Amino acid sequence: MRDCIFCKIIEGFVPCMKIYEDEHTYSFMDIAKDVDGHILVVPKIHKKNILDCDEETLINLMRTVKRISNHLVDNCGYDGVNILNASDESAGQSVPHFHIHIIPRRKNDGIDAWPKFEGAKEEITEIWEKIKL
Ligand code: 5GP
Ligand code: ZN
């Protein structure tokens, strides 16, 4: 078996608090204890992140992200969600199996889920010229 903690969770070799499962995706509580209700959603197939993920896997993953998000708001008393992802170590990815974080949100819950950026160093127009498709 692949030496991947999320593959081991999906295959039942490592316990988790499962939220949801279907043919293509798996979802469980994050154990970080950093914010209430922190959920992870992963594809069952091992992909590292969005960069190596095929479109069909991505669509299946996002379908589950939406299903869980709507469930949180419709049935669990939440008002919204933050959807977070780090793709590559450069972006802060620590577990190399593609995963989307869902943070359930309530009005005035005091959670600041937006990173504290240090301020842009380059001209927007210069970067725009380099990166536009
Ligand atoms: P990343 O930093 O790659 O975006 O997020 C990885 C997440 O996986 C972290 O929030 C971390 O708490 C979570 N995590 C790491 N190991 C385990 C584990 O064994 N079980 C669960 N449920 N979550 C884990
Ligand atoms: Zn894996």
Side-chain angles (χ1 to χ4, degrees), residues 2 4 7 46 97:
R2 207 180 263 274
C4 166
C7 282
H46 182 93
H97 181 127

Side-chain angles (χ1 to χ4, degrees), residues 1-2 5-14 26 44:
M1 197 215 323
R2 207 180 263 274
I5 184 65
F6 290 174
C7 282
K8 287 177 182 164
I9 287 175
I10 292 161
E11 288 165 30
F13 292 103
V14 170
Y26 206 89
K44 285 187 172 175

Side-chain angles (χ1 to χ4, degrees), residues 26-126:
Y26 206 89
S27 175
F28 47 95
M29 297 302 290
D30 193 302
I31 53 167
K33 285 188 174 176
D34 49 0
V35 62
D36 291 333
H38 190 163
I39 294 167
L40 298 173
V41 188
V42 306
K44 285 187 172 175
I45 185 173
H46 182 93
K47 297 289 179 183
K48 182 178 175 187
N49 58 42
I50 198 166
L51 300 169
D52 69 343
C53 187
D54 59 279
E55 286 188 8
E56 193 183 336
T57 300
L58 185 61
I59 288 164
N60 290 331
L61 186 67
M62 293 312 290
R63 185 184 298 113
T64 295
V65 169
K66 176 169 170 54
R67 175 172 285 196
I68 293 170
S69 299
N70 283 122
H71 167 66
L72 291 168
V73 171
D74 294 344
N75 306 320
C76 306
Y78 292 100
D79 300 307
V81 292
N82 286 107
I83 307 295
L84 307 171
N85 166 258
S87 283
D88 195 59
E89 292 80 1
S90 61
Q93 182 174 7
S94 63
V95 175
H97 181 127
F98 193 15
H99 51 281
I100 303 287
H101 301 253
I102 303 179
I103 313 293
R105 301 299 304 271
R106 290 194 180 94
K107 285 184 186 68
N108 305 315
D109 62 15
I111 297 166
D112 184 359
W114 198 254
K116 301 282 179 293
F117 294 118
E118 290 170 8
K121 297 180 182 70
E122 295 179 50
E123 283 299 321
I124 295 173
T125 50
E126 282 174 27

